[in-house]
Amino acid sequence: MKKIISIILVLTLLCSVVPFTVYAADDNKYKSKRDELIALYLDVKESIETVGYYDPYSENSLNMLFNAFISADELLEDDSDSISDMEYQLCFAMLNFAYNNLCVDVFYAKETYVLSLNEHNENGFYDENDWNDFVTKRDNLRDSFKTGNEYVISYAFFELVDSFIDMTSKYTLPGDVNNDGKISVDDATLVQKYLAGVEELTELQQGLASLSGTCYYAVSKVNIDTVTRLQKCSAGLFQPSSKHYSYGETYVDNFGNTFNTMITMDWEYIDYRYEYVDAKVSELEADGVI
């Protein structure tokens, strides 16, 4: 109860500082506070009803959203003549804050951090500035766990995802392992050197070598068959996927939050991935890294 009262007091303070037009446009003078609350209420209702299974949010965050939604529902059921603009404003502020500040589950964010550790750039494949930004954002997420603050962790999480998407989405042609804009025997040769332990390949390059043009499943293991397919492709004997490889492809949920389908845990039918990641999270927690 004390926690709920504290939240209401904080949001009341927000109302006194932030204009009530956070959600509404400049036509606020033509709309009642009740109409604005109804508009937001309907948007939230639609999002909750259609968000589906993809909800890696913290329990506290979802509870705050659902409680604010229920409060709005109850308020709108009452006789509008008996409710003041201040009551509508407070309810709107609570719902607006909860709706636009959903926090990812901390363990989910830790899983994402572990997956981000798999990406590397020893061979200089990525642009140096992009890579440095990614590493910085990855370190920021690691350090955010020590705060124990869901909002701090969520901010760092989405910062890392944005950096990862920006870095990887620039390299999307299936088969173009060396990023020279075409598929040639040079790509097959690079993979051969990788298999021989002479060259390094990023996870993205391994994905490009697969010629699959998809990011929704785990990257195919690079082997001698990969080399053969690339050689056939460069000779015009094999047709690669027409879809550009989507390692940096994003998923935007019904709450407007963007996730990356590769760096986060959206891996279908790949049980060992979950086992590996969960074990690694436990290891890093035990070592005090996260």
Side-chain angles (χ1 to χ4, degrees), residues 20 28-37 85 88:
F20 187 53
N28 183 49
K29 60 183 178 180
Y30 302 111
K31 295 181 66 177
S32 68
K33 299 293 187 287
R34 181 183 177 87
D35 288 338
E36 291 186 41
L37 178 58
D85 282 353
Y88 284 124

Side-chain angles (χ1 to χ4, degrees), residues 74-115:
E74 293 175 348
L75 188 67
L76 292 173
E77 284 184 353
D78 292 342
D79 181 8
S80 59
D81 293 335
S82 63
I83 303 172
S84 67
D85 282 353
M86 180 58 70
E87 289 177 285
Y88 284 124
Q89 183 169 332
L90 177 59
C91 189
F92 181 98
M94 292 177 64
L95 186 57
N96 190 53
F97 180 84
Y99 182 49
N100 289 296
N101 293 277
L102 284 167
C103 295
V104 295
D105 178 76
V106 173
F107 190 80
Y108 181 87
K110 289 182 177 180
E111 292 174 322
T112 297
Y113 173 73
V114 167
L115 286 174

Side-chain angles (χ1 to χ4, degrees), residues 113-120 138 202-203 273 276-277:
Y113 173 73
V114 167
L115 286 174
S116 72
L117 294 174
N118 292 327
E119 196 52 279
H120 51 92
R138 186 170 63 186
T202 68
E203 279 206 6
R273 280 275 175 170
Y276 159 75
V277 171

Side-chain angles (χ1 to χ4, degrees), residues 33-47:
K33 299 293 187 287
R34 181 183 177 87
D35 288 338
E36 291 186 41
L37 178 58
I38 290 173
L40 176 58
Y41 170 84
L42 293 175
D43 278 351
V44 174
K45 182 180 180 181
E46 181 180 3
S47 296

Side-chain angles (χ1 to χ4, degrees), residues 2-181:
K2 290 182 178 179
K3 183 177 180 180
I4 294 176
I5 294 174
S6 298
I7 292 173
I8 293 176
L9 290 174
V10 170
L11 291 172
T12 303
L13 179 60
L14 286 173
C15 290
S16 66
V17 177
V18 182
F20 187 53
T21 53
V22 169
Y23 181 80
D26 292 337
D27 62 350
N28 183 49
K29 60 183 178 180
Y30 302 111
K31 295 181 66 177
S32 68
K33 299 293 187 287
R34 181 183 177 87
D35 288 338
E36 291 186 41
L37 178 58
I38 290 173
L40 176 58
Y41 170 84
L42 293 175
D43 278 351
V44 174
K45 182 180 180 181
E46 181 180 3
S47 296
I48 291 175
E49 289 177 345
T50 60
V51 71
Y53 71 93
Y54 200 97
D55 53 349
Y57 297 108
S58 72
E59 184 177 353
N60 289 337
S61 188
L62 289 175
N63 285 340
M64 182 181 291
L65 175 63
F66 293 139
N67 289 337
F69 178 79
I70 292 171
S71 296
D73 184 61
E74 293 175 348
L75 188 67
L76 292 173
E77 284 184 353
D78 292 342
D79 181 8
S80 59
D81 293 335
S82 63
I83 303 172
S84 67
D85 282 353
M86 180 58 70
E87 289 177 285
Y88 284 124
Q89 183 169 332
L90 177 59
C91 189
F92 181 98
M94 292 177 64
L95 186 57
N96 190 53
F97 180 84
Y99 182 49
N100 289 296
N101 293 277
L102 284 167
C103 295
V104 295
D105 178 76
V106 173
F107 190 80
Y108 181 87
K110 289 182 177 180
E111 292 174 322
T112 297
Y113 173 73
V114 167
L115 286 174
S116 72
L117 294 174
N118 292 327
E119 196 52 279
H120 51 92
N121 197 40
E122 289 90 344
N123 60 356
F125 180 76
Y126 294 121
D127 174 82
E128 183 178 359
N129 290 330
D130 289 343
W131 175 251
N132 289 338
D133 182 72
F134 172 73
V135 171
T136 297
K137 299 298 171 53
R138 186 170 63 186
D139 291 346
N140 289 345
L141 178 58
R142 177 200 63 203
D143 296 340
S144 73
F145 296 126
K146 298 175 183 177
T147 70
N149 187 307
E150 289 183 350
Y151 292 101
V152 174
I153 294 170
S154 293
Y155 179 82
F157 169 88
F158 288 114
E159 284 273 290
L160 175 62
V161 168
D162 287 343
S163 178
F164 181 80
I165 292 169
D166 183 61
M167 179 178 72
T168 59
S169 61
K170 298 175 181 178
Y171 314 91
T172 58
L173 178 63
D176 183 16
V177 186
N178 63 359
N179 193 36
D180 64 357

